[in-house]
């Protein structure tokens, strides 16, 4: 290789370096002939490639679609059951494909795990490259600054050293370094930092979610006015603990519902829900008052108590044939927005006059503001508040089937061993008593309300929040910071450059024709070329002022028109 | 006050519709000029279907098709409509004594307002010109008309679940991002139209209607960059909206994420826009393919909004 060839090659490398304004991975060169990459290495390279990441992202979106249309067990088991009944042939297929539990399905997990492996595989080398780029000085001046997307040149009477000093002053807020022939400057490293921050935050977010799923718990409990519960596993109607959850992590609080109160607008829309509770953080701790409302949970240590539902619970007294008074407050399940509610009353301890069991059961409808449906003639409710409550019931005698050992829902009667009491449905107002044919009675005394509370503990929550903030910050940086470079070359009257070091004659820059100092500026941005063109014009304007310029007959045009947009650096692999 | 707001919205729709007509006139008027501009481009368009836009080619500046009289009238009408639209939203807020984005009707009106705002910003920055106007104002007018008739709700107080200061933050961000995303969807479609038109012309074929509409549009690379600019703005806003929603959900429902249908579709939308941003940086996915991704993402957004709100029962069923 001759010296000239060598120099040309070196210069080409300098030029290439100057224009490479990204640490984004370059497509790997194809392996040389006859030299095959290790299969594992090849698979790894495939997995961490941008194309694969993109494919996995698409798959993730696609895989979530059924979760948005088909009812999900985790959200609405009742709806799923209904779907299964309505589609007897399709449902088993869907179920086998985990389409009722999309977000817990193994194939869903496979997609996001692969995606995150691909992401990490892509991130690690990029972090290393970026860390190196942060320590690297801006690259050498390319041969021809006029070839760059933005460029400008003019002459000045100032000495080369002065011009150079002026350039450094103008580029004060840039990272600059003096290079042979002039100054190299670079700005916008935060773009890649933001990009990496966003993707690292994604990984941290996943860790936070996993922590919550493993060590957290979620439970619900129905509490009637005046009742309460202690935060123990046994207290809950429904509990959903994480896999690594242990009951001794439960906060030892207890809570009593003093009164539940809802208010409604005239059209029946709910205005406020308010559960007035009394609670204590543990045995021996003082009791405190609190209003749990929607959007206003009670926080006890790590746990939070939310108000998630409410309904009515008529207070009834059943007198059996033996004359015993059996009191109950019966939670009824709301069926519609006007709180028509279905009630089930079970009296397993009712006795005959001779002391033998005579179990009683009642099915009924509770209507808070009672009216008759003009069309069907049936009892209905026209307003959700208990303005004119009524309990309409039918009764049963016999065996409630509670001794069989099978668990039974408290909200329905098993009528196999029950006989209906021969009487039409009875509409009871508060204070009314129904004398049962054959003995005994049912009195509807007054109306209480109930509220359902959800208690959750999620140890990963804080981490997820921090990660989310990192994501937004990273996104903003990576989308709006522009990475760009500017070079200023100063050539003295004799054609020598101003900077220290050997005097080099540059191929692209002829000495100033009129004997002054020639200033050439070139710039390059990776994104948003319009904005860069404006910035470049402002920069050269200030440099003209600082370094001076003298009228030259042949002044080339100002900044060249910006190039069309480059791929964004905002989007790292992964 | 509520009545005033309704009337103002009616005037807004009227002004937007007139603007749409003026823009259509502008597009028709700019054809002859543009054909010559397009004639020089086909060679580049053919470079390869994988990379239809030469990344390093100087970006053709958007010609001022808006300089025609009809275009200027369209822009003026849109600006006027925008002012009336803002007044309508503000009076609605005063009438209901809360933020004016508490139900589907109000949400639609605000989203349309953001879309028009984003369009005016694009015009101002010369990212697009008046020839695009008709294509933007048709969906905006339809969308607003639909909101004012089918989705209309009387001004009233909020249901308890919405009664939180998070509604100001979460819904405002969602509205802003939705409006911008919808606009980007339109621009991406226009890019595809223009690109298809150019390809056909380069092959020596004469595009028939509706492809012939591409003739009056700004050059494909400009449309591509305009769509990107809007999405680059909207994506962080959408991300923030989802996060704010998660924080609110944590306070209201006891968990920050629960795959409620609304959450699921917001997630799908988010992932698809993430796909778009990645696609735009992936060899073989630039240009046409990423534009399709942007269109798919906008479709997911529409499902998230209309289908989920109206047909799917979930925790977000308020309106």
């Amino acid at each position: 290789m001759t010296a000239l060839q060598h120099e040309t090659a070196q210069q080409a490398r300098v030029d290439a370096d100057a224009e490479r304004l990204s640490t984004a991975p370059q497509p790997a060169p194809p392996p040389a002939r006859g030299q095959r990459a290790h299969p594992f290495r090849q698979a790894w390279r495939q997995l961490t490639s941008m194309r694969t990441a993109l494919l996995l992202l698409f798959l993730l979106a696609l895989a979530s679609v059924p979760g948005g249309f088909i009812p999900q067990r985790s959200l609405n088991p009742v709806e799923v059951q209904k779907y299964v009944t309505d589609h007897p042939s399709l449902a088993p297929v869907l179920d086998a494909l985990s389409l009722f539990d999309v977000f817990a399905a193994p194939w869903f997990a496979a997609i996001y795990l692969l995606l995150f492996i691909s992401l990490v595989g892509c991130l690690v080398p990029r972090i290393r490259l970026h860390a190196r780029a942060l320590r690297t000085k801006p690259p050498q001046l390319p041969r021809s600054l006029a070839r760059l997307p933005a460029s400008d040149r003019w002459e000045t009477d100032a000495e080369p050293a002065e011009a150079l000093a002026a350039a450094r002053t103008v580029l004060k807020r840039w990272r600059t370094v003096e290079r042979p022939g002039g100054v190299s400057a670079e700005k916008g490293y935060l773009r890649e930092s933001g990009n990496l921050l966003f993707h690292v935050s994604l990984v941290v977010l996943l860790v936070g979610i996993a922590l919550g799923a493993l060590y957290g718990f979620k439970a619900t409990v129905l509490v009637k006015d005046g009742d309460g519960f202690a935060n123990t596993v046994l207290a809950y109607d429904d509990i959903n603990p994480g896999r690594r959850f242990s009951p001794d992590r439960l906060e030892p609080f207890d809570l009593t519902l003093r009164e539940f109160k809802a208010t409604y607008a005239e059209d029946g829309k709910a205005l406020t829900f308010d559960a007035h509770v009394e609670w204590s953080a543990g045995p021996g701790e003082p009791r405190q008052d609190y209003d749990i409302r929607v959007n206003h949970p009670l926080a006890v240590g790590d746990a939070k108590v939310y108000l998630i539902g409410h309904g009515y619970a008529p207070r009834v007294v059943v007198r059996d044939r033996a004359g015993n008074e059996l009191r109950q407050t019966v939670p009824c399940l709301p069926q519609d927005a006007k709180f028509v509610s279905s009630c089930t009353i079970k009296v397993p301890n009712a006795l005959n006059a001779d002391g033998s069991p005579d179990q009683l059961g009642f099915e009924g409808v509770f209507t808070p503001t009672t009216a008759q449906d003009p069309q069907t003639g049936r009892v209905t409710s026209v307003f959700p508040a208990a303005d004119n409550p009524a309990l309409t019931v039918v009764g049963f005698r016999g065996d409630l089937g509670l001794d069989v050992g099978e668990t039974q829902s408290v909200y329905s009667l098993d009528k196999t061993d029950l006989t209906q009491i021969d009487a039409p449905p009875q509409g009871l107002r508060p204070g009314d008593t129904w004398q049962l044919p054959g003995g005994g009675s049912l009195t509807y005394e007054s109306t209480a309300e109930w509220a359902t509370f959800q208690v959750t503990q999620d140890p990963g929550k804080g981490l997820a929040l921090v990660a989310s903030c990192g994501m937004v910050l990273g996104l903003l940086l990576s989308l709006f910071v522009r990475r760009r470079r500017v070079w200023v070359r100063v050539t003295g009257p004799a054609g020598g450059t101003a900077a220290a070091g050997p005097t080099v004659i540059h191929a692209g820059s002829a000495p100033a024709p009129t004997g002054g100092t020639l200033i050439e500026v070139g710039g390059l941005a990776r994104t948003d070329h319009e904005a860069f063109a404006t910035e470049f014009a402002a920069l050269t304007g200030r440099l003209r002022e600082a370094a001076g310029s003298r009228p030259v007959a042949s002044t080339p045009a100002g900044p060249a028109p910006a190039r069309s947009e480059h791929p964004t650096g905002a989007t790292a692999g992964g | 006050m509520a009545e005033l707001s309704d009337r103002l919205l009616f005037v807004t729709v009227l002004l937007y519709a007139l603007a749409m007509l003026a823009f259509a006139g502008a597009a028709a008027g700019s054809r002859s000029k543009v054909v010559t501009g397009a004639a020089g481009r086909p060679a580049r368009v053919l470079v390869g279907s994988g990379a239809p836009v030469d990344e390093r080619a100087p970006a053709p500046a958007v010609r001022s098709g808006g300089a025609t009289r009809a275009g200027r009238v369209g822009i003026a009408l849109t600006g006027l409509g925008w002012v009336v639209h803002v007044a309508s939203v503000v009076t609605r807020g005063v009438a209901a004594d809360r933020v004016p984005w508490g139900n589907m009707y109000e949400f639609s009106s605000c989203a349309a307002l953001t879309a028009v705002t984003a369009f005016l910003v694009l015009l101002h920055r010369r990212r697009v010109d008046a020839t695009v106007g008709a294509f933007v104002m048709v969906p905006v007018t339809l969308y607003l008309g639909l909101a004012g008739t089918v989705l209309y709700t009387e001004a009233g107080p909020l249901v308890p679940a919405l009664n939180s200061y998070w509604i100001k933050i979460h819904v405002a961000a969602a509205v802003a991002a939705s409006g911008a995303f919808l606009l980007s969807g339109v621009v991406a479609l226009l890019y595809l139209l223009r690109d298809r038109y150019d390809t056909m012309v380069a092959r020596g074929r004469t595009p028939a209607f509706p492809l012939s509409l591409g003739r009056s549009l700004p050059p494909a690379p400009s449309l591509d960059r305009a769509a990107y600019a809007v999405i680059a703005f909207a994506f962080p806003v959408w991300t923030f909206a989802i996060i704010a929603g998660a924080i609110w959900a944590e306070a209201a429902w006891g968990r920050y994420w629960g795959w409620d249908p609304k959450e699921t579709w917001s997630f799908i939308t988010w992932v698809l826009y993430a796909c778009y941003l990645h696609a735009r940086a992936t060899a073989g996915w630039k240009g046409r393919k990423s534009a399709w991704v942007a269109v798919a993402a906008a479709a997911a957004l529409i499902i998230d909004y209309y289908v989920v709100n109206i047909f799917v029962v979930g925790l977000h069923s308020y309106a």
Side-chain angles (χ1 to χ4, degrees):
Chain A
M1 192 186 268
T2 69
L4 185 64
Q5 268 173 335
H6 181 73
E7 198 179 307
T8 314
Q10 199 174 8
Q11 190 61 53
R13 205 168 55 237
V14 167
D15 287 0
D17 270 352
E19 298 211 13
R20 191 180 308 123
L21 197 44
S22 156
T23 44
Q26 306 290 321
R33 257 178 168 216
Q35 179 200 342
R36 292 193 50 165
H38 191 274
F40 175 77
R41 181 168 280 256
Q42 204 159 1
W44 178 249
R45 199 177 288 158
Q46 271 295 331
L47 181 63
T48 58
S49 80
M50 189 77 150
R51 240 168 246 267
T52 311
L54 191 57
L55 183 79
L56 287 168
L57 259 183
F58 273 122
L59 273 178
L60 186 65
L62 197 68
S64 311
V65 169
F69 278 132
I70 300 173
Q72 296 295 300
R73 275 207 185 94
S74 58
L75 280 176
N76 202 337
V78 182
E79 199 66 25
V80 173
Q81 200 48 51
K82 198 170 147 247
Y83 193 92
V84 171
T85 323
D86 293 350
H87 305 84
S89 53
L90 182 63
V93 180
L94 296 185
D95 206 10
L97 295 171
S98 309
L99 287 173
F100 295 122
D101 311 274
V102 166
F103 303 106
W107 46 266
F108 192 80
I111 294 171
Y112 71 75
L113 286 178
L114 276 176
L115 186 63
F116 272 88
I117 292 170
S118 162
L119 173 61
V120 171
C122 198
L123 268 181
V124 171
R126 271 188 91 147
I127 290 173
R128 216 164 31 214
L129 277 174
H130 185 56
R132 199 181 302 154
L134 284 176
R135 292 193 308 263
T136 311
K137 302 222 161 77
Q140 303 251 6
L141 282 76
R143 196 168 2 178
S144 157
L145 295 181
R147 256 193 57 244
L148 292 169
S151 67
D152 197 1
R153 53 186 277 164
W154 68 89
E155 279 179 37
T156 170
D157 290 328
E159 287 300 310
E162 287 174 72
L164 211 57
R168 297 205 70 154
T169 317
V170 167
L171 293 167
K172 199 166 48 197
R173 306 197 53 190
W174 293 57
R175 174 182 296 192
T176 53
V177 61
E178 224 158 276
R179 294 284 192 186
V183 179
S184 304
E186 187 162 349
K187 210 175 169 175
Y189 295 87
L190 272 179
R191 183 186 187 87
E192 179 67 2
S193 307
N195 185 15
L196 296 173
L197 172 65
F198 171 78
H199 287 91
V200 169
S201 299
L202 270 180
V203 179
V204 176
L205 176 66
L206 191 72
V207 173
I209 292 171
L211 276 182
L214 286 175
Y215 294 98
F217 96 105
K218 184 167 113 178
T220 53
V221 56
L222 184 148
V223 182
K224 294 171 276 194
D225 279 343
D227 282 2
F229 70 96
N231 189 23
T232 56
V233 173
L234 285 176
Y236 293 108
D237 302 329
D238 180 41
I239 185 161
N240 205 338
R243 233 171 264 171
R244 312 283 305 263
F245 174 77
S246 96
D248 40 274
R249 283 171 185 274
L250 287 170
E251 299 283 338
F253 71 88
D254 71 277
L255 179 153
T256 307
L257 176 63
R258 284 277 154 250
E259 194 193 9
F260 177 84
K261 213 169 168 179
T263 56
Y264 303 92
E266 269 172 42
D267 62 352
K269 253 194 208 163
L271 291 177
T272 60
F273 301 126
D274 197 334
H276 178 62
V277 301
E278 208 181 271
W279 66 281
S280 129
E285 298 285 327
R287 298 198 75 76
Q288 301 170 51
D289 285 324
Y290 193 84
D291 282 331
I292 302 180
R293 296 188 296 266
V294 179
N295 288 319
H296 188 244
L298 167 70
V300 190
D302 236 7
K304 273 187 169 181
V305 185
Y306 301 83
L307 173 63
I308 57 166
H310 71 108
Y312 290 100
R315 294 190 185 96
V316 298
V317 183
V318 175
R319 276 179 202 80
D320 63 10
R321 282 166 169 165
N324 300 313
E325 285 195 358
L326 302 152
R327 269 169 203 289
Q328 276 191 31
T329 307
V330 185
C332 299
L333 297 182
Q335 306 295 313
D336 66 12
K338 301 286 191 271
F339 277 81
V340 172
S341 312
S342 67
C343 314
T344 304
I345 307 170
K346 295 185 188 185
V347 196
N349 298 331
L351 303 171
N352 279 315
D354 62 3
S356 62
D358 171 41
Q359 295 188 331
L360 291 167
F362 300 90
E363 271 182 352
V365 175
F366 175 82
T367 42
T369 301
T370 312
Q372 255 188 358
D373 192 311
Q375 270 139 31
T376 59
R378 279 164 62 176
V379 173
T380 184
S381 174
V382 291
F383 196 72
D387 291 342
N388 181 21
L391 181 63
T392 309
V393 285
V394 291
F396 298 88
R397 268 185 216 279
D399 185 352
L400 292 167
L402 293 172
D403 310 327
V404 188
E406 275 178 49
T407 47
Q408 197 187 86
S409 165
V410 293
Y411 298 111
S412 68
L413 286 181
D414 174 5
K415 290 177 205 147
T416 27
D417 296 318
L418 288 175
T419 338
Q420 187 166 352
I421 295 172
D422 188 18
Q426 302 289 311
L428 306 177
R429 303 282 166 164
D432 286 357
T433 299
W434 173 28
Q435 297 296 337
L436 306 179
S441 69
L442 170 74
T443 307
Y444 167 28
E445 282 197 317
S446 59
T447 315
E449 295 192 51
W450 56 261
T452 30
F453 294 103
Q454 178 177 300
V455 181
T456 57
Q457 217 168 324
D458 183 346
K461 211 159 58 179
L463 192 62
L465 183 64
V466 170
S468 304
C469 296
M471 279 168 64
V472 174
L473 180 67
L475 260 185
L476 289 174
L477 290 175
S478 73
L479 286 171
F480 297 114
V481 171
R482 288 168 293 120
R483 182 91 175 263
R484 61 260 196 220
R485 284 185 186 145
V486 162
W487 293 272
V488 179
R489 171 174 290 138
V490 175
T491 316
T497 52
T503 304
V504 187
I505 309 275
H506 291 275
S509 58
T514 47
T517 301
L518 176 69
I519 299 179
E520 290 168 282
V521 191
L524 172 74
R526 276 195 59 228
T527 47
D528 200 352
H529 300 265
E530 284 85 355
F532 180 66
T534 316
E535 182 185 20
F536 187 82
L539 204 67
T540 50
R542 269 186 288 141
L543 187 53
R544 263 172 217 267
E545 246 171 60
S549 65
R550 63 177 184 193
V552 179
S554 62
T555 314
R563 283 172 181 176
S564 105
E565 195 160 292
H566 237 268
T568 66
T571 51
Chain B
M1 202 56 128
E3 214 170 294
L4 176 65
S5 165
D6 297 349
R7 289 214 184 117
L8 288 173
L9 190 79
F10 180 74
V11 176
T12 308
V13 174
L14 208 67
L15 285 169
Y16 285 167
L18 288 173
M20 174 177 89
L21 292 177
F23 281 134
S30 75
R31 277 180 192 181
S32 50
K33 257 195 300 180
V34 181
V35 174
T36 51
R41 301 171 12 83
R44 203 183 303 127
V45 174
L46 276 182
V47 162
S49 59
V53 180
D54 181 356
E55 295 287 347
R56 311 224 75 186
V62 173
R63 297 164 321 284
S64 46
T68 62
R69 182 173 297 172
R72 279 200 300 268
V73 169
I75 292 172
L77 282 170
T78 310
L80 194 61
W82 183 85
V83 172
V84 180
H85 198 163
V86 170
S88 161
V89 168
V90 170
T91 46
R92 176 82 178 187
V94 174
D97 194 23
R98 53 169 172 77
V99 288
W101 45 77
N103 53 47
M104 249 182 116
Y105 159 68
E106 293 166 359
F107 188 100
S108 301
S109 178
C110 289
L113 182 63
T114 354
V116 175
T117 312
F119 172 55
L120 288 172
V121 170
L122 285 184
L123 278 174
H124 178 71
R125 297 206 177 157
R126 299 187 178 283
R127 297 276 195 173
V128 294
D129 63 23
T131 55
V132 170
F135 297 96
V136 174
M137 296 320 283
V138 168
V140 165
T141 311
L142 281 179
Y143 187 75
L144 261 188
L146 196 70
T149 50
V150 180
L151 303 175
Y152 184 77
T153 319
E154 293 285 339
L158 294 170
V159 295
L162 292 181
N163 222 336
S164 158
Y165 62 93
W166 280 106
I167 193 173
K168 293 182 190 147
I169 303 163
H170 164 63
V171 186
V175 164
S178 302
F181 276 149
L182 290 177
L183 178 70
S184 75
V186 172
V187 177
L189 276 175
L190 293 181
Y191 163 81
L192 289 166
L193 182 68
R194 174 79 211 202
D195 178 64
R196 192 70 192 280
Y197 173 85
D198 288 341
T199 313
M200 285 190 79
V201 169
R203 288 193 188 140
R205 305 225 303 267
T206 316
F209 184 83
L211 281 184
S212 57
L213 289 173
R215 187 159 39 159
S216 61
L217 289 172
S222 304
L223 290 170
D224 179 52
R225 279 180 298 128
Y228 170 75
V230 176
I231 290 172
F233 158 78
F235 187 69
V237 181
W238 186 249
T239 310
F240 175 75
I242 292 179
I243 291 168
I247 297 173
W248 187 4
E250 200 274 325
W253 300 328
R255 83 291 184 289
Y256 57 86
W257 194 265
W259 297 110
D260 177 65
K262 192 76 160 186
E263 291 170 349
T264 303
W265 278 101
S266 306
F267 172 76
I268 294 171
T269 308
W270 188 82
V271 170
L272 284 175
Y273 278 110
C275 282
Y276 169 82
L277 291 174
H278 285 91
R280 247 178 138 271
T282 306
W285 277 85
K286 290 163 191 170
R288 212 171 296 165
K289 280 189 198 166
S290 31
W292 277 117
V293 179
V295 172
L301 182 77
I302 290 170
I303 293 177
D304 188 17
Y305 185 48
Y306 283 105
V307 180
V308 171
N309 272 29
I310 298 173
F311 300 107
V312 182
V313 178
L315 289 168
H316 277 80
S317 318
Y318 304 117

